[in-house]
Amino acid sequence: MPELPFKTAPETVGARPGASASPAVRNGKSQAPRVAVASLVGTTIEYYDFTVYGTASALVLGPAFFPSGNATLSSLAAFLTFAAAFLSRPLGVVLFGTIGDRLGRRRALVVSLLLMGVATVGVGLLPTYETAGFLAPVLLVTLRLLQGVSMGGEWGGAVLLAAEHAPPGRRALYASIPQAGPSLGFLLSTAVILPTLNTVGMDGFTDWAWRIPFLLSTVLVVVGLWVRTTVSESPVFTSAARRAAQTPQSVSRFPLGTLLKLHPGRLLLGTGAAIGGSAVYYLTIVYSLSYGPQELGIPRNTMLTAASIGAAAGIAITLPVARLSDRIGRRPVMLAGAVGCVVWAVPMYASLSSRNGLVITGAYTVGLMFLALMFSPVAAFLPELFPARLRYTGASAAFILANTLGGGFAPLMATWLNSHWESPLVLGFYTGGLCLLSLLCLLALPETRDHEFGD
């Protein structure tokens, strides 16, 4: 069956086809700002949890759970568990996509945040290999898989809840607010890890203090759950559910199957459009934190500081970039980011050879700002590719597949590549190639800014 054509009607939110609509209101006030903040809080917490694991993988989890006389093998094993969570993300897409498209966006988001919190705190309580032997890495991988399932439902629901509440003409702006969550989560994790490292030293951190960032997630999850349970359901979903109740035969019992039947091309191209940005993000804030100190002798604090400043710069331009995409379209902004990432990938990772903190920080800052050009509008772009009743599943599937293929295996691939070619230039060529793929996919996709969002 051919894919449904894009509509070019004026932008509406939560409306019947041909009718105007406004975002959900409560006591005469729009819920859009509150919903966007709630989405940001939850996404920040989820990525804090995820990034804490990635940073711990780079610093201590290899020796603690996968002891080996070879440091590279220990790091490779730790990064394998990092990649394992990406393998379980598609299961999260199926589970939470079905919940989100059939029962509601908010319900799916509450469950995903709770699952992530339980898994993260569980990691902080695990015995190490020295205490529990083989059981320790088995439990670690199990909890890591649960984290992945949670992340499979988080991103799509967070950006959808914000986008579907957004006022006309500001969809990308509101959808981009939770897009700051990954970088904020990284900064929050760094704000916990760096003082802990400086207080107890590397020996103390390796011995016991690595658990602190995981256990602190308890407080964050409680706050996040409170925020998310106080916001209203998406008006677009509510409207679509009302129409579906009148024609129940039109409701898909398995949204992923319907998505693959009706929109396979759009799913593949959407995945490709996001794959390069995922590689840039995870190689910068996960892999390089291990590679720089272990292979190039760069101090860990230098790498953490460079990545943190770059992430902060990306956050600073996220909203202006999204607003620009609301005015001129998603594709021009994302294409500019993709070209920038293709061109800058090699110089960015070549900066590691200098071993100079200022040079690395400058290179990372430019690279992560180019990433923001791709990453900010994609929060509106991917959901706009799919109709309302398949939107949670479609947007989540495209983004999570891109994260899995471009990000989840990036540290693993980089470790393998650097075991054969010692120069950090290889990281630039690998990343630049994936960003080139994103550029080609964006060229093949249509502009979606004027897509009617309530259908």
Side-chain angles (χ1 to χ4, degrees):
M1 182 179 295
E3 294 190 3
L4 300 176
F6 284 96
K7 297 184 179 181
T8 57
E11 182 175 291
T12 61
V13 179
R16 297 184 301 276
S20 61
S22 300
V25 295
R26 181 177 294 175
N27 298 327
K29 296 182 180 180
S30 171
Q31 287 286 293
R34 182 183 181 87
V35 169
V37 171
S39 295
L40 172 63
V41 170
T43 304
T44 299
I45 293 169
E46 292 246 10
Y47 273 91
Y48 164 84
D49 291 349
F50 214 72
T51 307
V52 160
Y53 187 95
T55 305
S57 295
L59 297 179
V60 300
L61 292 188
F65 288 88
F66 306 95
S68 168
N70 187 309
T72 299
L73 288 179
S74 291
S75 294
L76 196 60
F79 284 135
L80 274 170
T81 66
F82 182 80
F86 287 82
L87 292 177
S88 62
R89 282 187 178 193
L91 177 59
V93 171
V94 176
L95 174 62
F96 291 106
T98 301
I99 295 173
D101 281 331
R102 289 179 58 83
L103 302 178
R105 321 306 197 199
R106 189 182 68 164
R107 186 175 303 184
L109 283 174
V110 169
V111 176
S112 73
L113 182 59
L114 182 61
L115 180 61
M116 174 63 83
V118 169
T120 303
V121 173
V123 172
L125 297 173
L126 283 181
T128 62
Y129 188 91
E130 183 180 3
T131 302
F134 185 69
L135 180 62
V138 170
L139 291 174
L140 180 66
V141 171
T142 300
L143 292 173
R144 185 65 181 154
L145 292 173
L146 291 178
Q147 280 190 321
V149 171
S150 170
M151 288 299 293
E154 170 60 29
W155 183 87
V159 300
L160 275 189
L161 203 61
E164 292 182 343
H165 275 86
R170 293 174 176 258
R171 188 186 302 149
L173 176 65
Y174 278 81
S176 73
I177 292 174
Q179 284 295 77
S183 293
L184 283 174
F186 170 70
L187 291 176
L188 185 59
S189 71
T190 303
V192 173
I193 290 172
L194 268 181
T196 304
L197 268 171
N198 292 333
T199 301
V200 303
M202 192 59 197
D203 289 340
F205 191 82
T206 302
D207 186 36
W208 63 272
W210 63 269
R211 300 178 184 276
I212 293 174
F214 290 96
L215 297 178
L216 283 177
S217 180
T218 304
V219 178
L220 298 176
V221 170
V222 170
V223 173
L225 288 173
W226 175 75
V227 171
R228 282 196 167 171
T229 54
T230 61
V231 300
S232 60
E233 180 56 84
S234 155
V236 174
F237 174 81
T238 302
S239 177
R242 188 181 301 116
R243 294 196 303 272
Q246 299 171 357
T247 57
Q249 67 277 8
S250 66
V251 179
S252 173
R253 293 184 177 277
F254 185 50
L256 181 61
T258 305
L259 175 72
L260 294 174
K261 180 180 179 181
L262 297 181
H263 306 287
R266 207 167 294 171
L267 175 60
L268 288 175
L269 290 173
T271 299
I275 199 170
S278 295
V280 173
Y281 180 81
Y282 283 103
L283 283 180
T284 302
I285 71 160
V286 175
Y287 178 73
S288 66
L289 300 185
S290 171
Y291 174 74
Q294 291 184 5
E295 302 298 329
L296 301 176
I298 303 171
R300 296 185 189 277
N301 284 3
T302 298
M303 293 303 306
L304 283 168
T305 301
S308 298
I309 292 175
I315 292 172
I317 68 169
T318 291
L319 295 185
V321 166
R323 191 71 186 108
L324 180 63
S325 79
D326 275 328
R327 291 172 176 167
I328 69 173
R330 321 304 187 210
R331 289 176 76 248
V333 178
M334 294 178 68
L335 285 169
V339 170
C341 286
V342 170
V343 172
W344 192 248
V346 171
M348 179 167 65
Y349 294 111
S351 71
L352 296 174
S353 296
S354 73
R355 297 173 174 81
N356 184 298
L358 290 177
V359 172
I360 297 169
T361 299
Y364 273 27
T365 298
V366 173
L368 290 175
M369 290 178 75
F370 279 132
L371 172 62
L373 294 178
M374 297 177 65
F375 197 59
S376 179
V378 82
F381 183 68
L382 291 182
E384 287 165 350
L385 293 174
F386 306 100
R389 292 298 292 176
L390 298 174
R391 190 167 289 144
Y392 199 125
T393 300
S396 296
F399 189 78
I400 293 307
L401 283 173
N403 256 228
T404 300
L405 299 175
F409 290 102
L412 188 61
M413 282 296 299
T415 301
W416 181 82
L417 287 170
N418 280 127
S419 70
H420 291 77
W421 298 277
E422 295 182 359
S423 171
L425 289 176
V426 71
L427 304 180
F429 289 118
Y430 172 70
T431 308
L434 290 179
C435 290
L436 179 60
L437 175 60
S438 290
L439 176 62
L440 295 175
C441 289
L442 284 168
L443 290 172
L445 284 165
E447 178 57 62
T448 61
R449 181 185 58 165
D450 296 324
H451 174 212
E452 186 176 356
F453 213 45
D455 63 350

